[in-house]
C-alpha cells in the first residue's frame, strides 16, 4: 500500500508526474469530474486547519468523490480513550483514503502501519507537511518554470515550521539549489534537515535584508505560537520578520514570495498587490496538487504498488 507521510515517499519521477497531472487538471477540469465517483475520503483533523482541510475536501469533491471526517477530535471517541490505531483501522473500513493532521509528531506514520487504505499526512506536529510541499512544488514549477538552480530563502520559524522541513527535503533532490535559512537564534532549522545538505548548500542568517536581493524564492512562515511553550518568548519573537513594500524594493524583479498561510504579521497587506506575491495563488495550486495526489494514489492502489522505501 502506498502512503504519503513524508515527501520522500514519492520519487522525483512521481513528483514530476504529479506536477504534470495537476497542470492538466487546471487546463481540463471537466475531464476529471467523475474520476473518484463512488469513492470516500476521510479527513481526520486533530489540529486546526483551514486551507489544508478545505482544499482536500474540494479536491475530492471536484473529482466526483465524497468526504467524511472531523475537524477537532472533541466530538469523537478519542475523548473516550480510543487509540489512534483503532480509529484508523475502523476508518479504513469506511473510507478509501485517510487524510490525517495531528499535533503529535509521527501520528500519521503510526496510522499508516495499520491502515488498509492510503494515509496522507496533512501535518504532524512540528515535523512534516508533505502535501503543502506538493503545493509548493507545483507553485515554484508554474511560477519559476523550474525546480533546480534556485536560491531559496526560508524565513521565520524554521524550528517548529513543518512546511519548511518538508520543502527543504524536497528541493534538495533537484540539482544546484541553495538555501538561506533566515531565523532568530532560538528558531533555527533543525539539524536533521541541515544534515541533508552539503555545507556550501546553505547559509544561516538572522537578517532578511542580507539575503532578499539574492533570492529567487522567498518563503515566509509564521512563528508557531502553539508550539512555543514560553508565552514571553513568543511575544519577543513574533514580529522578528515583517516583509513590507520597502523591503520588496531590494528583491529581484523575477523573485517570488510564497507563504503556506495563515499569515499573522509577517507580510504586510501592501505586498499583496505586488505581482511577485504568489501566496494566494499558491493556496489555489494546493487544491490541484491534492487532486493529482488522490488520482495517483488511487492508480497506485489499483496497480498494487508497495512503498518505495
Ligand atoms: C501550515 C501548517 O499547518 O503547518 N498551514 C497550512 O497547512 N497551510 C503553516 C502554519 O500553520 O503556519
Amino acid at each position: 500500500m502506498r502512503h504519503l507521510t513524508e515527501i520522500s515517499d514519492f520519487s522525483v519521477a512521481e513528483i514530476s508526474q504529479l506536477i504534470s497531472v495537476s497542470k492538466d487538471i487546471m487546463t481540463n477540469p471537466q475531464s476529471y469530474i467523475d474520476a473518484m465517483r463512488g469513492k470516500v475520503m476521510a479527513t481526520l483533523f486533530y489540529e486546526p486547519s483551514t486551507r489544508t482541510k478545505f482544499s482536500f475536501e474540494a479536491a475530492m469533491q471536484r473529482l466526483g468523490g465524497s468526504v467524511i471526517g472531523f475537524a477537532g477530535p472533541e466530538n469523537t471517541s478519542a475523548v473516550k480513550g480510543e487509540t489512534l490505531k483503532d480509529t484508523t483501522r475502523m476508518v479504513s473500513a469506511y473510507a478509501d483514503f485517510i487524510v490525517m493532521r495531528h499535533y503529535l509528531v509521527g501520528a500519521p506514520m503510526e496510522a499508516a502501519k495499520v491502515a488498509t487504505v492510503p494515509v496522507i499526512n496533512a501535518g504532524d506536529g512540528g515535523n512534516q507537511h508533505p502535501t503543502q510541499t506538493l503545493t509548493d512544488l507545483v507553485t515554484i514549477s508554474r511560477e519559476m518554470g523550474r525546480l533546480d538552480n534556485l536560491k531559496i530563502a526560508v524565513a521565520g520559524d524554521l524550528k517548529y515550521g513543518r512546511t519548511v522541513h518538508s520543502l527543504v527535503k524536497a528541493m534538495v533532490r533537484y540539482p544546484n539549489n541553495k538555501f538561506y535559512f533566515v531565523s532568530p537564534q532560538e528558531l533555527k532549522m533543525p539539524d536533521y534537515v541541515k544534515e541533508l545538505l552539503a555545507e556550501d548548500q546553505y547559509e544561516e542568517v538572522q537578517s532578511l535584508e542580507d539575503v532578499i536581493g539574492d533570492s529567487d524564492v522567498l518563503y515566509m512562515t509564521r512563528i508557531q505560537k502553539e508550539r512555543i511553550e514560553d508565552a514571553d518568548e513568543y511575544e519577543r519573537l513574533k514580529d522578528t520578520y515583517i516583509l513590507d513594500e520597502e523591503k520588496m524594493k531590494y528583491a529581484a524583479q523575477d523573485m517570488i514570495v510564497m507563504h503556506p498561510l495563515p499569515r499573522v504579521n509577517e507580510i504586510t497587506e501592501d505586498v499583496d498587490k505586488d505581482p511577485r506575491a504568489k501566496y494566494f495563488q499558491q493556496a489555489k495550486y494546493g487544491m490541484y496538487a491534492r487532486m493529482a495526489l488522490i488520482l495517483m494514489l488511487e492508480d497506485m492502489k489499483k496497480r498494487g504498488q508497495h512503498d518505495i522505501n
Side-chain angles (χ1 to χ4, degrees):
M1 179 64 58
R2 292 290 301 265
H3 305 282
L4 181 73
T5 58
E6 296 257 7
I7 195 67
S8 51
D9 287 346
F10 269 39
S11 68
V12 170
E14 286 167 342
I15 286 181
S16 305
Q17 191 191 341
L18 184 139
I19 292 171
S20 18
V21 173
S22 57
K23 286 180 187 168
D24 192 58
I25 302 170
M26 286 179 226
T27 25
N28 304 305
Q30 284 303 318
S31 324
Y32 294 89
I33 52 174
D34 280 324
M36 286 293 135
R37 172 95 38 226
K39 302 281 175 190
V40 177
M41 161 178 282
T43 52
L44 313 186
F45 276 59
Y46 293 84
E47 228 194 16
S49 168
T50 310
R51 266 151 302 277
T52 305
K53 187 163 179 297
F54 284 161
S55 68
F56 262 113
E57 294 178 351
M60 190 61 179
Q61 293 186 17
R62 281 173 188 272
L63 294 170
S66 50
V67 184
I68 56 172
F70 58 80
E74 306 81 25
N75 298 318
T76 73
S77 284
V79 294
K80 300 183 195 166
E82 183 169 52
T83 64
L84 187 81
K85 282 189 173 168
D86 281 1
T87 306
T88 305
R89 281 193 189 98
M90 193 239 357
V91 175
S92 289
Y94 302 150
D96 301 288
F97 303 92
I98 295 176
V99 181
M100 181 180 289
R101 169 170 288 192
H102 209 289
Y103 47 87
L104 291 176
V105 169
M109 293 71 165
E110 286 305 306
K113 289 181 187 158
V114 296
T116 53
V117 299
V119 173
I120 301 169
N121 179 359
D124 64 314
N127 187 31
Q128 302 296 316
H129 196 343
T131 69
Q132 179 63 47
T133 298
L134 296 177
T135 301
D136 300 343
L137 296 177
V138 170
T139 306
I140 298 171
S141 142
R142 282 292 284 213
E143 300 295 333
M144 300 299 291
R146 65 185 194 277
L147 290 170
D148 51 18
N149 290 289
L150 292 166
K151 287 186 186 158
I152 306 153
V154 288
D157 186 344
L158 308 187
K159 181 176 179 186
Y160 297 112
R162 54 195 173 196
T163 64
V164 294
H165 303 159
S166 297
L167 180 66
V168 174
K169 275 187 156 186
M171 293 306 287
V172 71
R173 301 203 284 184
Y174 299 91
N176 208 23
N177 285 330
K178 293 225 164 86
F179 303 88
Y180 290 121
F181 295 147
V182 189
S183 78
Q185 196 60 25
E186 295 87 338
L187 300 174
K188 283 168 77 171
M189 186 63 86
D191 288 342
Y192 81 87
V193 178
K194 287 191 284 194
E195 277 160 14
L196 301 169
L197 306 170
E199 252 173 48
D200 60 355
Q201 252 183 317
Y202 71 95
E203 220 176 293
E204 294 184 286
V205 298
Q206 289 194 24
S207 150
L208 193 53
E209 286 87 335
D210 285 352
V211 297
I212 191 167
D214 191 41
S215 303
D216 301 305
V217 175
L218 171 58
Y219 195 100
M220 297 294 294
T221 65
R222 85 185 157 92
I223 309 294
Q224 304 277 302
K225 184 178 184 183
E226 68 276 34
R227 303 191 210 286
I228 296 180
E229 273 169 32
D230 181 349
D232 291 341
E233 178 161 285
Y234 173 72
E235 284 306 313
R236 190 162 45 77
L237 297 175
K238 67 176 188 194
D239 291 332
T240 314
Y241 303 110
I242 299 180
L243 181 67
D244 56 15
E245 253 178 338
E246 200 43 44
K247 291 199 189 83
M248 286 297 284
K249 289 187 185 148
Y250 298 97
Q253 273 319 306
D254 56 356
M255 171 263 226
I256 60 168
V257 183
M258 297 172 66
H259 191 308
L261 303 178
R263 74 172 147 186
V264 183
N265 221 4
E266 51 290 334
I267 304 179
T268 58
E269 281 186 16
D270 54 18
V271 178
D272 297 357
K273 59 180 186 307
D274 190 307
R276 294 169 290 183
K278 300 296 180 193
Y279 28 91
F280 290 115
Q281 186 61 32
Q282 182 185 355
K284 190 167 177 191
Y285 287 139
M287 182 180 75
Y288 296 109
R290 291 175 174 111
M291 289 171 83
L293 172 65
I294 295 166
L295 291 169
M296 282 182 69
L297 284 172
E298 178 64 15
D299 185 53
M300 289 166 175
K301 199 175 1 171
K302 281 198 192 124
R303 289 188 288 120
Q305 277 204 10
H306 296 287
D307 268 347
I308 60 169
N309 293 321

